[in-house]
Amino acid sequence: MSPHSAEARAIADLFDQTLIVCGVLFVVVAAPLAWALVRFRARGTQEPPQLHGSTRLEIAWTIGPLLVVAWLFALSVRAVGASDPPTDHEPDVVVVAHQWWWEARYPSGAITANEIHVPAGKRLVAEIRSEDVIHDFWVPQLARKVDATPGHPVRIWLSADAPGTYDGACAEFCGAQHAWMRITVVAQPEQEYEAWLRHQLEPASVTLGVEATRGARFFREHTCAECHHDGPAPGPNLRHMGARTTLAAGLLDNTPENLSRWLADPQALKPNSHMPSLQLRAADVDDLVAYLEGSR
Ligand code: CUA
């Protein structure tokens, strides 16, 4: 309802136009019907006159709807073209759907999860992929909805005409945690975006206190780093995790308390997710929280 890109505006306009056409049709049909119900209601026991056939009326109510449908079809064809024009360059960001989170890979090598940053006012080509089952990328204020099908990457335009955060979700049932597969697009002024992108390639600027140092070692030496590492990985890249707004693809606000709960028993919070409950000791959880929340 509040589009923030040319592509999304084309879809919103089609909705408005269709709503107006259907609203007028509703009145055109419902008003005479209501009038007829009152005007020709039964009076006493006398049967009203029975009429059969009217060539003029039948021609009118065949041609009228035909023209309306043809008009809606033309509007739809125009909107499809405007909301999904062909892309003309290699992807600026590759968005990979996983059960149940989103990965964003940038050509520079930066990788993030569940939060895609884009420069406001610039049109990007986004390639949408899936690593496992069919998902569907949908950020309604910015772009068309598009399936993420394994082995069949597709490209769409992704842009936001003003800085802001734009929420999206997986829109194709993809398993137990389909509902918690949220995505946020963060549109920033171009310089801010460039700085963000550069920072993603740098080591996290974590102040390594005693706890965070222990947490970093634990992360490297135990199973965490097997799934959460740089490069295409089975789990989200956590290098700058402390700077993200949510945990577990939108399930929890990113706070130290919530991260503790999550690390202590992810299966209790997001059953069937591929993050196992590792029965970590409370002290190890505290160390990991200090390390991960400090990684910005
Ligand atoms: Cu992924 Cu629904």
Side-chain angles (χ1 to χ4, degrees):
M1 293 297 189
S2 62
H4 275 276
S5 74
E7 289 76 19
R9 208 164 295 116
I11 296 169
D13 288 349
L14 177 64
F15 176 80
D16 292 346
Q17 292 155 350
T18 307
L19 188 68
I20 290 167
V21 170
C22 293
V24 170
L25 278 180
F26 175 76
V27 172
V28 165
V29 173
L33 178 64
W35 174 76
L37 283 172
V38 175
R39 172 73 181 76
F40 298 106
R41 70 187 183 280
R43 290 188 178 86
T45 52
Q46 200 193 341
E47 196 181 23
Q50 301 298 300
L51 305 173
H52 296 281
S54 162
T55 309
R56 264 165 51 201
L57 258 182
E58 284 163 17
I59 288 173
W61 73 45
T62 303
I63 290 180
L66 201 68
L67 291 177
V68 172
V69 171
W71 187 33
L72 287 176
F73 177 72
L75 289 177
S76 302
V77 168
R78 198 180 62 174
V80 166
S83 65
D84 193 23
T87 55
D88 62 3
H89 59 267
E90 291 301 297
D92 301 293
V93 59
V94 175
V95 179
V96 188
H98 297 257
Q99 281 177 321
W100 288 278
W101 59 284
W102 300 92
E103 180 180 13
R105 302 178 194 156
Y106 293 82
S108 65
I111 299 180
T112 187
N114 303 322
E115 282 172 31
I116 308 181
H117 287 239
V118 301
K122 232 181 136 186
R123 294 175 83 221
L124 301 191
V125 171
E127 183 167 286
I128 312 296
R129 302 176 172 211
S130 170
E131 284 288 280
D132 37 46
V133 301
I134 301 175
H135 302 268
D136 191 292
F137 177 83
W138 194 32
V139 184
Q141 286 178 289
L142 302 185
R144 59 158 298 191
K145 191 180 189 185
V146 67
D147 272 3
T149 309
H152 184 69
V154 289
R155 293 177 182 179
I156 59 167
W157 288 103
L158 179 66
S159 64
D161 51 22
T165 55
Y166 304 94
D167 290 333
C170 179
E172 176 82 37
F173 182 71
C174 55
Q177 292 297 338
H178 156 70
W180 286 116
M181 193 166 160
R182 301 292 173 84
I183 190 164
T184 303
V185 176
V186 182
Q188 297 169 293
E190 192 160 355
Q191 284 193 333
E192 210 177 296
Y193 163 76
E194 295 292 345
W196 175 86
L197 197 57
R198 273 194 307 276
H199 182 59
Q200 296 310 300
L201 291 170
E202 294 162 3
S205 50
V206 51
T207 320
L208 288 175
V210 181
E211 278 195 315
T213 308
R214 279 200 306 258
R217 194 184 319 124
F218 188 95
F219 188 89
R220 270 196 317 274
E221 293 176 358
H222 291 75
T223 48
C224 316
E226 281 172 29
C227 290
H228 303 283
H229 56 74
D230 287 339
N237 187 302
L238 301 181
R239 193 191 284 203
H240 300 273
M241 203 212 81
R244 295 180 196 154
T245 54
T246 71
L247 301 172
L251 177 66
L252 301 164
D253 288 336
N254 186 8
T255 65
E257 296 72 40
N258 282 338
L259 184 57
S260 290
R261 288 170 61 208
W262 172 252
L263 290 174
D265 195 358
Q267 288 300 316
L269 296 168
K270 195 169 178 178
N272 295 313
S273 80
H274 298 310
M275 170 84 177
S277 290
L278 292 165
Q279 317 293 335
L280 303 176
R281 296 182 314 145
D284 293 332
V285 168
D286 291 345
D287 293 345
L288 282 170
V289 169
Y291 170 56
L292 293 170
E293 289 294 340
S295 300
R296 284 162 184 277

